[in-house]
Amino acid sequence: MCLPAAQADFAPYFYDNGPYSYNGNLALFSLSEDTAVGTQIYRLNGTDPEGQEVRYGLSFDPGSKEYFSVDSKSGNITLVEKLDREKQDSIDVLVSITDGQSKVVERVTIFVMDANDEKPEFQNMPAIIDVLETTESGISIYKVEAVDRDTGSGGSVTYYLQSTLFAIDRHSGVLRVKSGEMLDYEKAKTHFVIVIAKDGGGSFNGKEQFMSSSATLTINVIDAQDTLPSFIGTPYFGYVYEISVPGSEIFTVEARDGDVGNPNPVRYSFDDGEPFCQRNDKYTLTFTPSVQASEVSPEGRLMDYEVTTVVIRVVDLNNNPPTFYGENGPQSTFELTMYEHPPEGEILRGLKITVNDSDQGANAKFNLRLIGPGRMLRVVPQTVLNEAQVTILVEDSAAMDYEKYHFLTYKLLAVEIDTPEKFSATADIVIHLLDTNDNAPKFSSDYYIARIPENSPGGSNVVTVTAFDPDSGPWGEVKYSIYGSGAELFLIKPDSGIIYTQPWASLDAEVRSKYNFYVKAEDTEGKYNLAEVFVTVLDLNDHSPAFYDNFLEKTMVIGAPVKIEAVDDDAEVPNNVIEYAIMKAEPENNIFDINADTGEIMLKSYIKSMAIIQNITKKRDCTWSLVVQARDRGHPSLTTTAVVKIDITEATQLKGGPLGSFLMQNRNKPLQILGMLAGIISLMIIVTVLISTATFMRNKKSNRILPNRRVKRRNEQKFKVKEEEREPEVIVENVNHNNNAGRILRQWPPPPPPCAPPPAFCLPVERQWVIPTVSATVAPKPLKKAVVTRQDSVSKALVSELKMRLEQKRKPDH
């Protein structure tokens, strides 16, 4: 059996697309150094003659950085490391292609292209150089050098300078002093120059970019002998005391070579060898010719020089303290008399004071101070050189008060300022103050409260008001007066302030218990103040209780009370608080109780019927006579009595049905009876109107006129209380001399209305009314009325003004 011949296998191969191609075998491929990592930079491309699928590979020499990676299937090459042309400008790469059977490997070189990513770098900067100050402009003093590792325009360097004194060649970097400028060591010993190196620009990341660097060049100026000596601290003024001995040091001058970098020594001399002395009023000694300072060369030769003038003043010692002078020479005490409260800023012209220090200059400079109570006065001037006229001004006028100080004593002090001895002098200033009327009288209180019993006789003292005026003499004398609507019952003693009642005044708390008025304190010039006086009239128990009638008649229905009432005209409690008590009852004492506070009289609680009363009294009589006492709670207590006649009945025994019963029970309450009758009449009128309206409507519907009807009214039983004529007034003597008035006007009461018929068990016999014996009787006492007097219109206007001023005075206090 024969085998078939083996099929031939050809190796795969790359396409060679030449330079500038991004597809093929990487031959002659170049890449810019600013290409970003991760960029797809190329695609390997090849084929297999047999049409087999090919795979691609990429590798580097051992030890080399692997800058790229390849996708074996697509052949896409990606940058995986940052490129830097300045470190590596080409990369060798092994690329391969295989069909699974055969593999072809080729070495290619990838060129890294430059981008402008490097700054120029100075090779000899920063630097410090020394330049002689006499160096002429235009001469090279330094050459700056900088290198840029980029290629092309990005690697070219141009130089710039930031200076007004120096210039630089832009291309060579040579530094020179600017034309027309000169260095001066005496003005500036060092210069700091900023040099900038800038490249020519180039592409970076697709944009044009320029890069630069800067460095500092320090230029030290070297001094040259080109400056004259100079004196330090001119102008020169020296001082010498009059007691100085010959050879004493007076003053020291100092000069230095202007070339301070390398100075020469200096020698001093007078211009003509001897000083010329001149004396004037200020004891000034001047040297002429002036002092000369000359440079000495290293060989000992005198060189450049400078001249100055020295002024020396002869002064005396500080041997004189400040001294105060009056009109006749030195003086230590000055006196003045003036009125209190002068205007602020006023000069005390009565004081003629001069101060002097005989020394000269600083020894004659001193301060003036015024030492004394408060800050009432001020001295001018406060600083003196040699001599001054002393002026004293008023600083605080209000504090210069005669009532506080009759005289003021101050110390005027002069103390040297700049001398070690601090010599000083003092003078006494005594100011005698004269009084003025600058105060109004002032009360000890804004209010005075007084109380006086109502039984005080006319002329009784009420209260004493006090006002004080601190002014002296007649200005301090105070006169008192009173004003106001409440002042008509009172007088005041003008000198003492004692307020008392008018001689004819009769105080009565029941008429008026409160008075208030104004009191005025006034000095001789009319300055015044006001205070208010409140007077309370104290109530006394001077009124006895009084019944409206001393003989009272009451009808009592069993189970219902009857009430009596008395009044007391006293003004205050407890004088007008009344208590009631039953003093006596006939024919039997023990069947009634009375409410001590209200005056309600009632049967004792166990008496429920007339039979019980008859069983107690063993009588069939139904009429009682009671003596009731009204007592006030004052001290001492006052009383009065009244006789009360009480008819006792039962409600069921009253004739006339419910109406009669009602009338009997309320026989002493006419208003209730009238109210009931008004209600009955109103009801009858309403019924009549309704009947008339109904009749009219019926006749209208029947369309006929009805004949008039005569209505015969029954005579209604009327209940009338017939009033009998009053008896004339009777004056009853107070026989027993009790606490009631001596002569009492009594009004006899009207006779009572007809009494209901006695009950069946009462004996119908006539019984003589017996009036028990009592202390006295009291008639109703009319209330007193306050007497109002008319005030004069001028007085009212004055009171209004005084009241307004008093209120204005109180406002700041609140």
PDB file of all heavy atoms in Angstrom, residues 494-515:
ATOM      1  N   PRO A 494     -48.201 131.230 111.289  1.00  0.00           N
ATOM      2  CA  PRO A 494     -47.221 131.475 110.202  1.00  0.00           C
ATOM      3  C   PRO A 494     -45.784 131.189 110.603  1.00  0.00           C
ATOM      4  O   PRO A 494     -44.976 130.809 109.764  1.00  0.00           O
ATOM      5  CB  PRO A 494     -47.435 132.950 109.869  1.00  0.00           C
ATOM      6  CG  PRO A 494     -48.806 133.277 110.366  1.00  0.00           C
ATOM      7  CD  PRO A 494     -49.025 132.429 111.571  1.00  0.00           C
ATOM      8  N   ASP A 495     -45.440 131.361 111.868  1.00  0.00           N
ATOM      9  CA  ASP A 495     -44.045 131.213 112.273  1.00  0.00           C
ATOM     10  C   ASP A 495     -43.698 129.794 112.702  1.00  0.00           C
ATOM     11  O   ASP A 495     -42.595 129.306 112.440  1.00  0.00           O
ATOM     12  CB  ASP A 495     -43.725 132.179 113.407  1.00  0.00           C
ATOM     13  CG  ASP A 495     -43.856 133.638 112.971  1.00  0.00           C
ATOM     14  OD1 ASP A 495     -43.523 133.911 111.795  1.00  0.00           O
ATOM     15  OD2 ASP A 495     -44.299 134.467 113.780  1.00  0.00           O
ATOM     16  N   SER A 496     -44.626 129.117 113.379  1.00  0.00           N
ATOM     17  CA  SER A 496     -44.308 127.800 113.951  1.00  0.00           C
ATOM     18  C   SER A 496     -44.801 126.631 113.117  1.00  0.00           C
ATOM     19  O   SER A 496     -44.327 125.510 113.282  1.00  0.00           O
ATOM     20  CB  SER A 496     -44.917 127.685 115.356  1.00  0.00           C
ATOM     21  OG  SER A 496     -46.335 127.747 115.284  1.00  0.00           O
ATOM     22  N   GLY A 497     -45.763 126.843 112.207  1.00  0.00           N
ATOM     23  CA  GLY A 497     -46.292 125.740 111.407  1.00  0.00           C
ATOM     24  C   GLY A 497     -47.310 124.895 112.150  1.00  0.00           C
ATOM     25  O   GLY A 497     -47.652 123.801 111.691  1.00  0.00           O
ATOM     26  N   ILE A 498     -47.820 125.373 113.289  1.00  0.00           N
ATOM     27  CA  ILE A 498     -48.833 124.616 114.039  1.00  0.00           C
ATOM     28  C   ILE A 498     -50.190 124.840 113.365  1.00  0.00           C
ATOM     29  O   ILE A 498     -50.634 125.990 113.199  1.00  0.00           O
ATOM     30  CB  ILE A 498     -48.889 125.058 115.513  1.00  0.00           C
ATOM     31  CG1 ILE A 498     -47.542 124.778 116.199  1.00  0.00           C
ATOM     32  CG2 ILE A 498     -50.027 124.365 116.242  1.00  0.00           C
ATOM     33  CD1 ILE A 498     -47.466 125.315 117.612  1.00  0.00           C
ATOM     34  N   ILE A 499     -50.825 123.743 112.965  1.00  0.00           N
ATOM     35  CA  ILE A 499     -52.156 123.808 112.362  1.00  0.00           C
ATOM     36  C   ILE A 499     -53.173 123.505 113.461  1.00  0.00           C
ATOM     37  O   ILE A 499     -53.038 122.501 114.181  1.00  0.00           O
ATOM     38  CB  ILE A 499     -52.282 122.813 111.203  1.00  0.00           C
ATOM     39  CG1 ILE A 499     -51.261 123.170 110.103  1.00  0.00           C
ATOM     40  CG2 ILE A 499     -53.687 122.795 110.630  1.00  0.00           C
ATOM     41  CD1 ILE A 499     -51.226 122.180 108.961  1.00  0.00           C
ATOM     42  N   TYR A 500     -54.199 124.370 113.584  1.00  0.00           N
ATOM     43  CA  TYR A 500     -55.224 124.184 114.619  1.00  0.00           C
ATOM     44  C   TYR A 500     -56.580 124.525 114.016  1.00  0.00           C
ATOM     45  O   TYR A 500     -56.681 125.089 112.915  1.00  0.00           O
ATOM     46  CB  TYR A 500     -54.926 125.058 115.838  1.00  0.00           C
ATOM     47  CG  TYR A 500     -54.818 126.543 115.541  1.00  0.00           C
ATOM     48  CD1 TYR A 500     -55.901 127.400 115.735  1.00  0.00           C
ATOM     49  CD2 TYR A 500     -53.626 127.083 115.058  1.00  0.00           C
ATOM     50  CE1 TYR A 500     -55.797 128.753 115.445  1.00  0.00           C
ATOM     51  CE2 TYR A 500     -53.511 128.439 114.773  1.00  0.00           C
ATOM     52  CZ  TYR A 500     -54.611 129.272 114.965  1.00  0.00           C
ATOM     53  OH  TYR A 500     -54.519 130.595 114.675  1.00  0.00           O
ATOM     54  N   THR A 501     -57.646 124.159 114.718  1.00  0.00           N
ATOM     55  CA  THR A 501     -58.993 124.381 114.205  1.00  0.00           C
ATOM     56  C   THR A 501     -59.419 125.817 114.464  1.00  0.00           C
ATOM     57  O   THR A 501     -58.913 126.487 115.377  1.00  0.00           O
ATOM     58  CB  THR A 501     -59.989 123.414 114.863  1.00  0.00           C
ATOM     59  OG1 THR A 501     -59.940 123.608 116.282  1.00  0.00           O
ATOM     60  CG2 THR A 501     -59.622 121.971 114.536  1.00  0.00           C
ATOM     61  N   GLN A 502     -60.347 126.274 113.624  1.00  0.00           N
ATOM     62  CA  GLN A 502     -60.910 127.604 113.820  1.00  0.00           C
ATOM     63  C   GLN A 502     -61.561 127.681 115.204  1.00  0.00           C
ATOM     64  O   GLN A 502     -62.082 126.681 115.713  1.00  0.00           O
ATOM     65  CB  GLN A 502     -61.973 127.882 112.747  1.00  0.00           C
ATOM     66  CG  GLN A 502     -61.427 127.979 111.328  1.00  0.00           C
ATOM     67  CD  GLN A 502     -61.001 129.394 110.984  1.00  0.00           C
ATOM     68  OE1 GLN A 502     -60.921 130.256 111.857  1.00  0.00           O
ATOM     69  NE2 GLN A 502     -60.704 129.623 109.710  1.00  0.00           N
ATOM     70  N   PRO A 503     -61.562 128.846 115.845  1.00  0.00           N
ATOM     71  CA  PRO A 503     -62.189 128.945 117.170  1.00  0.00           C
ATOM     72  C   PRO A 503     -63.662 128.551 117.161  1.00  0.00           C
ATOM     73  O   PRO A 503     -64.179 128.009 118.126  1.00  0.00           O
ATOM     74  CB  PRO A 503     -61.994 130.430 117.530  1.00  0.00           C
ATOM     75  CG  PRO A 503     -60.809 130.865 116.723  1.00  0.00           C
ATOM     76  CD  PRO A 503     -60.889 130.106 115.440  1.00  0.00           C
ATOM     77  N   TRP A 504     -64.312 128.788 116.041  1.00  0.00           N
ATOM     78  CA  TRP A 504     -65.744 128.463 115.962  1.00  0.00           C
ATOM     79  C   TRP A 504     -66.008 127.080 115.362  1.00  0.00           C
ATOM     80  O   TRP A 504     -67.157 126.683 115.201  1.00  0.00           O
ATOM     81  CB  TRP A 504     -66.460 129.509 115.096  1.00  0.00           C
ATOM     82  CG  TRP A 504     -65.744 129.783 113.802  1.00  0.00           C
ATOM     83  CD1 TRP A 504     -64.899 130.794 113.550  1.00  0.00           C
ATOM     84  CD2 TRP A 504     -65.814 129.005 112.596  1.00  0.00           C
ATOM     85  NE1 TRP A 504     -64.410 130.739 112.263  1.00  0.00           N
ATOM     86  CE2 TRP A 504     -64.973 129.635 111.654  1.00  0.00           C
ATOM     87  CE3 TRP A 504     -66.497 127.860 112.218  1.00  0.00           C
ATOM     88  CZ2 TRP A 504     -64.802 129.153 110.375  1.00  0.00           C
ATOM     89  CZ3 TRP A 504     -66.334 127.382 110.942  1.00  0.00           C
ATOM     90  CH2 TRP A 504     -65.483 128.014 110.021  1.00  0.00           C
ATOM     91  N   ALA A 505     -64.937 126.372 115.002  1.00  0.00           N
ATOM     92  CA  ALA A 505     -65.120 125.105 114.288  1.00  0.00           C
ATOM     93  C   ALA A 505     -65.744 124.049 115.195  1.00  0.00           C
ATOM     94  O   ALA A 505     -65.368 123.899 116.352  1.00  0.00           O
ATOM     95  CB  ALA A 505     -63.782 124.608 113.751  1.00  0.00           C
ATOM     96  N   SER A 506     -66.686 123.325 114.660  1.00  0.00           N
ATOM     97  CA  SER A 506     -67.319 122.189 115.350  1.00  0.00           C
ATOM     98  C   SER A 506     -67.185 120.984 114.443  1.00  0.00           C
ATOM     99  O   SER A 506     -67.804 120.907 113.373  1.00  0.00           O
ATOM    100  CB  SER A 506     -68.798 122.490 115.636  1.00  0.00           C
ATOM    101  OG  SER A 506     -69.412 121.368 116.246  1.00  0.00           O
ATOM    102  N   LEU A 507     -66.338 120.041 114.838  1.00  0.00           N
ATOM    103  CA  LEU A 507     -66.074 118.852 114.031  1.00  0.00           C
ATOM    104  C   LEU A 507     -67.142 117.807 114.283  1.00  0.00           C
ATOM    105  O   LEU A 507     -67.574 117.605 115.424  1.00  0.00           O
ATOM    106  CB  LEU A 507     -64.690 118.288 114.343  1.00  0.00           C
ATOM    107  CG  LEU A 507     -63.529 119.251 114.133  1.00  0.00           C
ATOM    108  CD1 LEU A 507     -62.225 118.591 114.566  1.00  0.00           C
ATOM    109  CD2 LEU A 507     -63.441 119.681 112.680  1.00  0.00           C
ATOM    110  N   ASP A 508     -67.563 117.169 113.248  1.00  0.00           N
ATOM    111  CA  ASP A 508     -68.576 116.116 113.365  1.00  0.00           C
ATOM    112  C   ASP A 508     -68.254 115.052 112.334  1.00  0.00           C
ATOM    113  O   ASP A 508     -68.360 115.291 111.133  1.00  0.00           O
ATOM    114  CB  ASP A 508     -69.977 116.675 113.134  1.00  0.00           C
ATOM    115  CG  ASP A 508     -71.068 115.680 113.537  1.00  0.00           C
ATOM    116  OD1 ASP A 508     -70.757 114.480 113.630  1.00  0.00           O
ATOM    117  OD2 ASP A 508     -72.213 116.121 113.773  1.00  0.00           O
ATOM    118  N   ALA A 509     -67.850 113.872 112.814  1.00  0.00           N
ATOM    119  CA  ALA A 509     -67.476 112.797 111.882  1.00  0.00           C
ATOM    120  C   ALA A 509     -68.651 112.335 111.059  1.00  0.00           C
ATOM    121  O   ALA A 509     -68.472 111.786 109.966  1.00  0.00           O
ATOM    122  CB  ALA A 509     -66.879 111.618 112.659  1.00  0.00           C
ATOM    123  N   GLU A 510     -69.896 112.525 111.598  1.00  0.00           N
ATOM    124  CA  GLU A 510     -71.076 112.092 110.844  1.00  0.00           C
ATOM    125  C   GLU A 510     -71.363 113.035 109.679  1.00  0.00           C
ATOM    126  O   GLU A 510     -71.985 112.635 108.688  1.00  0.00           O
ATOM    127  CB  GLU A 510     -72.307 112.014 111.754  1.00  0.00           C
ATOM    128  CG  GLU A 510     -72.254 110.870 112.758  1.00  0.00           C
ATOM    129  CD  GLU A 510     -71.289 111.134 113.892  1.00  0.00           C
ATOM    130  OE1 GLU A 510     -71.232 112.289 114.374  1.00  0.00           O
ATOM    131  OE2 GLU A 510     -70.571 110.206 114.275  1.00  0.00           O
ATOM    132  N   VAL A 511     -70.905 114.289 109.775  1.00  0.00           N
ATOM    133  CA  VAL A 511     -71.097 115.247 108.684  1.00  0.00           C
ATOM    134  C   VAL A 511     -69.946 115.149 107.682  1.00  0.00           C
ATOM    135  O   VAL A 511     -70.154 115.038 106.477  1.00  0.00           O
ATOM    136  CB  VAL A 511     -71.212 116.682 109.247  1.00  0.00           C
ATOM    137  CG1 VAL A 511     -71.300 117.703 108.105  1.00  0.00           C
ATOM    138  CG2 VAL A 511     -72.414 116.797 110.148  1.00  0.00           C
ATOM    139  N   ARG A 512     -68.687 115.150 108.182  1.00  0.00           N
ATOM    140  CA  ARG A 512     -67.512 115.045 107.317  1.00  0.00           C
ATOM    141  C   ARG A 512     -66.353 114.524 108.143  1.00  0.00           C
ATOM    142  O   ARG A 512     -66.016 115.103 109.171  1.00  0.00           O
ATOM    143  CB  ARG A 512     -67.154 116.396 106.708  1.00  0.00           C
ATOM    144  CG  ARG A 512     -65.984 116.346 105.719  1.00  0.00           C
ATOM    145  CD  ARG A 512     -65.800 117.657 105.044  1.00  0.00           C
ATOM    146  NE  ARG A 512     -64.652 117.630 104.116  1.00  0.00           N
ATOM    147  CZ  ARG A 512     -64.251 118.664 103.396  1.00  0.00           C
ATOM    148  NH1 ARG A 512     -64.917 119.811 103.456  1.00  0.00           N
ATOM    149  NH2 ARG A 512     -63.202 118.565 102.600  1.00  0.00           N
ATOM    150  N   SER A 513     -65.749 113.440 107.672  1.00  0.00           N
ATOM    151  CA  SER A 513     -64.681 112.811 108.455  1.00  0.00           C
ATOM    152  C   SER A 513     -63.307 112.961 107.821  1.00  0.00           C
ATOM    153  O   SER A 513     -62.312 112.622 108.441  1.00  0.00           O
ATOM    154  CB  SER A 513     -64.980 111.320 108.646  1.00  0.00           C
ATOM    155  OG  SER A 513     -65.015 110.660 107.394  1.00  0.00           O
ATOM    156  N   LYS A 514     -63.215 113.445 106.560  1.00  0.00           N
ATOM    157  CA  LYS A 514     -61.929 113.556 105.880  1.00  0.00           C
ATOM    158  C   LYS A 514     -61.740 114.981 105.356  1.00  0.00           C
ATOM    159  O   LYS A 514     -62.641 115.541 104.707  1.00  0.00           O
ATOM    160  CB  LYS A 514     -61.828 112.571 104.700  1.00  0.00           C
ATOM    161  CG  LYS A 514     -62.026 111.116 105.072  1.00  0.00           C
ATOM    162  CD  LYS A 514     -60.860 110.573 105.862  1.00  0.00           C
ATOM    163  CE  LYS A 514     -61.039 109.078 106.135  1.00  0.00           C
ATOM    164  NZ  LYS A 514     -59.942 108.530 106.937  1.00  0.00           N
ATOM    165  N   TYR A 515     -60.577 115.560 105.659  1.00  0.00           N
ATOM    166  CA  TYR A 515     -60.204 116.864 105.120  1.00  0.00           C
ATOM    167  C   TYR A 515     -58.790 116.742 104.551  1.00  0.00           C
ATOM    168  O   TYR A 515     -57.944 116.046 105.117  1.00  0.00           O
ATOM    169  CB  TYR A 515     -60.203 117.938 106.214  1.00  0.00           C
ATOM    170  CG  TYR A 515     -61.567 118.208 106.820  1.00  0.00           C
ATOM    171  CD1 TYR A 515     -62.034 117.442 107.885  1.00  0.00           C
ATOM    172  CD2 TYR A 515     -62.373 119.226 106.333  1.00  0.00           C
ATOM    173  CE1 TYR A 515     -63.273 117.684 108.455  1.00  0.00           C
ATOM    174  CE2 TYR A 515     -63.616 119.483 106.899  1.00  0.00           C
ATOM    175  CZ  TYR A 515     -64.069 118.706 107.957  1.00  0.00           C
ATOM    176  OH  TYR A 515     -65.300 118.956 108.511  1.00  0.00           O
TER     177      TYR A 515
END
